[in-house]
Amino acid sequence: MTTETLVPVDEALTRFDPVMGLEIHIELNTATKMFCGCPTEFGAEPNTQVCPVCLALPGALPVVNAKAIESAIRIGLALNCEIAEWCRFARKNYFYPDMPKNFQTSQYDEPIAFDGHVDVEVDGETYRIDIERAHMEEDTGKSLHVGGSTGRIHGADFSLVDYNRAGIPLIEIVTRTIEVPGDKAAAVARAYVSYVRDLIGGLGVSDVRMDQGSLRADVNLSLKPKGSTTLGTRSETKNVNSFRSVERAVRYEISRHAGILDEGGSVLQETRHFHEDTGTTSSGREKSDADDYRYFPEPDLAPVSPSREWVEELRATLPEPPAVRRARLQADWGFSDLEMRDTIGAGALQLVADTIEAGATPQAARKWWLGEMARRANEQGADLDSLGITPLQVAEIQKLIDAGRINDKLARSVFDGVIAGEGTPEEVIVGRQLEVVSDDGALGEAVDRAIAGDPDAAQKIRDGKQAAAGALIGAVMKEMRGQADAGRVRELILEKLT
Amino acid sequence: MTDLTKLSAADLAGKLARKEVSSVEATQAQLDRIAAVDGDVHAFLHVDAEGALATAADIDARRAAGEGLHGLAGVPIAVKDIVATKGMPTTCGSKILDGWIPPYDATITQRIKAAGLPILGKTNMDEFAMGSSTEHSAYGPTRNPWDRDRIPGGSGGGSAAAVAAFEAALAIGTDTGGSIRQPGALTGTVGVKPTYGGVSRYGLVALASSLDQAGPVTRTVLDAALLHELMGGHDPMDSTSIDAPAPLVVSAARRADVKGLKIGIVKELGGEGFQAGVSARFHEAVELLTSAGAEVVEVSLPSLEYALAAYYLVMPSEASSNLARFDAMRYGVRVPPAGADDPSAEQVMASSRDAGFGDEVKRRIIVGTYALSSGYYDAYYGSAQKVRTLLARDFASAFEQVDVLVSPTSPTTAWQLGAKLDDPLSMYLQDVATIPANLAGIPGLSLPVGLAEEDGLPVGLQFLAPQQADDRLYNAGAALEKLLEDQWGGPMLAQAPDLEVAR
């Protein structure tokens, strides 16, 4: 790999303006695939969800999944798009070992939804992102390269292909050029992806899990010398799979492009891979003008012409717009403006909402997701929703705290256990023996030992200095590994010494 | 006893229904006939004697048990090797699918099986249906039963020859630019291309998706109608299948009355380039129709002059994309590249295709890839699509004046094997009369109207009708067939040389 000259982002932005384009692929959660009746369950045994159609056996023909069309229309409406009165699928012809037909059935110049926009907020400022189009296509299969150390094709002994994913319906949402103040570009990119995730999640048409690939973002970026009107050459960083990575990918590409341009070089138009571990990108396939997909209308599929009545019916079923919903939730939860902004900024809005829905108080839900969980996510460089703990589990743990079964400190250990896959919160408490002890017998003995071990403190309490109880409580807690009911311990100490 | 192989499917079905003969006997008679003559004709790529006899025995048993059966139950059939048949090889006449056995049935295969027709085997064809002579089969050419030094037409030469050589009374073909009708004309059989979308394409290995249509190849118009009705009708597995009541083709074939029918002779399909004997037989047939009460006028289809050019852009364009799936990844042959120790997937694909595809297939993939490529799309594929629109308009206005159109099916009779093999363009011209129907999606029927004087070979006449008016073809075709047979004193195929003696 060649060494890149990287220019710090702040410095780069003194000379260049970033220009971005974002493409988001969303796997729909339809029960069956885009063009056949195969199931779409995630994580099934390889090649168990395949048929002649999605394997592209000779003679097999596609038929459009009506539910996928409905989902596409709902997504288009949520993105404030126009819905085409008549559109077609097209064939995008190229070879890829895990693409069975060697063309992807997609939409080209006739997308089902086009000309929309969304407004995203960063630091209290609103930025409008224009949507060029949202079109339907099918996913490819997955290649697994076996034998190499990197999991990449180079150095592998052989490759296996799993076609379970081939033919799963995708919606690709393409923005128009995004030009925002350079120091905001990365945050706006992140906020946009996060916004779209919430929006689509709210429609219930996709699992929108970045960690499972049901929402994938491609980041196109180019730099324009300040004052210039001509666009630079862009790079396309593919399949960035967390919000945080979207932000980092933008920043890294700004640095890298600036380095190349400063040295008088020219940026290659290519696709790039993002590396979560280092926050860097590396060259993928060079993408030049020679790429020719030979698009033409898919002759095996009838055109799609959703009736206006149907579109209006679907519009009527849309959930409330995000801005309205946020205002409502803020009022319901009693959050301050700052609390609400932090919650949204952390990508935790839906998680907090789901946790409250599952029975936690708004403040408790916010406390865990923006405190404990945000800290863990930061440490792991992951997004909140890929930590391995669900809003339902967080709410359950809070209920156990409220019931006095555990305390806040023990809860952290319960989180560890749940995330480590040790079972439900209840099972973790039993497995790790985390339950709070409030039984007077056991606590009394521990208190006696603490008094015996710290006669000075005991004497101070006898002298009426109740503040000295803290040292004895600490000793009891330490002996009981944090599992003592602190309030009861205090009472016992005072009973025994006053 | 009657030679069972000489009966029409309708006559055989009658005998089966009356239990005068069993399906096992009829099937065995066909298998014997295949064993006797197919070494010379080479209509079949694969014969499934065991499977056919098992189906026949099953049907006989069900009939004996008094079960209600389909009218054609027990009548053996031959199927073009482009139709997916579960458990039976399907090669499309190509090396790249050598030995491939589909794990699923085409919709029409399912319908044939459900109706209880024993499948005798798979018939030869030009590789991936590309050709007009069946010389482009990777497994060797089929020979015309009328003269075994001649081609039987293509791409469905195997199905047509099987029917003409009395190896089967019923066969299935597919017609992308005339591959049912042209071999029908060249072998003296009846061939029908139904309305596009009238018969399911699910399980037909695609040549050009917007043009392909499966249909019957038979010895009589009524037989074709019976098979058409069995195969046709809506199929939810094919998005382009017509979801409307199918035309009543069998009753139309039985009606066979042209009194008052308005018939249009297509001005552009006749005269120059048409063999004298073909034109003579064609005009005599038209006169017969007039004598039976039909009204004949000449109509013009001005866009027809661009049809051939448009076809030879659309067809290879779609084919180039449809054939992309043959990449040696999941099925078919895999040929490792010579001299590469650690070949890439692309290298394996390239060497497999090089070995697996024949010249005509490669030629069309290259043409199609070029026609779709960026910068040329508008000039080629885009223009060709515009021609289709214009042609459809021409047909629509012609059908405002007349009920059906007629022309010779093929400009010439069957030519010598090898005669046009090195001249693809000359071969392409043979489809000039059949291609317009595929571009416009309308139905066409070819039936034999006699032998050309100069070479004694069969001549076909083609009827065309508006979309979904397939019944008009059967009505007019059956009427003309009856008039001709009255003249000949029996079916024209009775005049064909006796292959068993000729051996």
Side-chain angles (χ1 to χ4, degrees), chain A residues 97-253:
Chain A
D98 54 19
M99 192 172 64
K101 292 176 292 203
N102 285 333
F103 57 79
Q104 186 180 26
T105 307
S106 179
Q107 290 193 302
Y108 175 50
D109 49 356
E110 299 169 306
I112 188 153
F114 53 93
D115 288 349
H117 66 266
V118 296
D119 293 326
V120 301
E121 256 185 56
V122 171
D123 298 338
E125 290 287 319
T126 300
Y127 297 89
R128 172 154 292 196
I129 309 291
D130 287 320
I131 307 292
E132 184 182 304
R133 65 198 164 133
H135 69 250
M136 300 179 279
E137 59 183 37
E138 58 181 337
D139 214 339
T140 61
K142 260 196 262 193
S143 295
L144 180 69
H145 306 294
V146 182
S149 56
T150 59
R152 293 196 175 276
I153 194 163
H154 294 291
D157 294 332
F158 57 91
S159 300
L160 299 171
V161 188
D162 175 8
Y163 292 104
N164 280 353
R165 201 179 67 180
I168 289 193
L170 288 180
I171 302 293
E172 181 175 344
I173 301 169
V174 182
T175 66
R176 292 196 197 284
T177 305
I178 303 171
E179 293 187 64
V180 297
D183 58 334
K184 297 293 183 197
V188 167
R190 174 184 180 143
Y192 166 71
V193 178
S194 167
Y195 182 93
V196 169
R197 199 275 310 261
D198 286 351
L199 189 68
I200 308 299
L203 296 175
V205 296
S206 167
D207 301 336
V208 288
R209 292 282 299 265
M210 289 192 89
D211 58 321
Q212 292 185 355
S214 59
L215 189 152
R216 313 197 282 269
D218 299 344
V219 177
N220 292 302
L221 188 127
S222 66
L223 291 186
K224 197 168 70 166
K226 279 202 179 292
S228 164
T229 49
T230 28
L231 294 177
T233 305
R234 70 170 193 276
S235 61
E236 183 179 3
T237 306
K238 304 287 282 184
N239 295 336
V240 184
N241 65 0
S242 73
F243 301 135
R244 185 169 168 269
S245 298
V246 168
E247 195 166 359
R248 292 168 86 205
V250 170
R251 294 178 65 84
Y252 184 81
E253 284 299 284

Side-chain angles (χ1 to χ4, degrees), chain A residues 64-76:
Chain A
V64 172
N65 180 340
K67 191 73 190 172
I69 303 279
E70 182 185 308
S71 298
I73 294 172
R74 297 185 72 215
I75 288 173

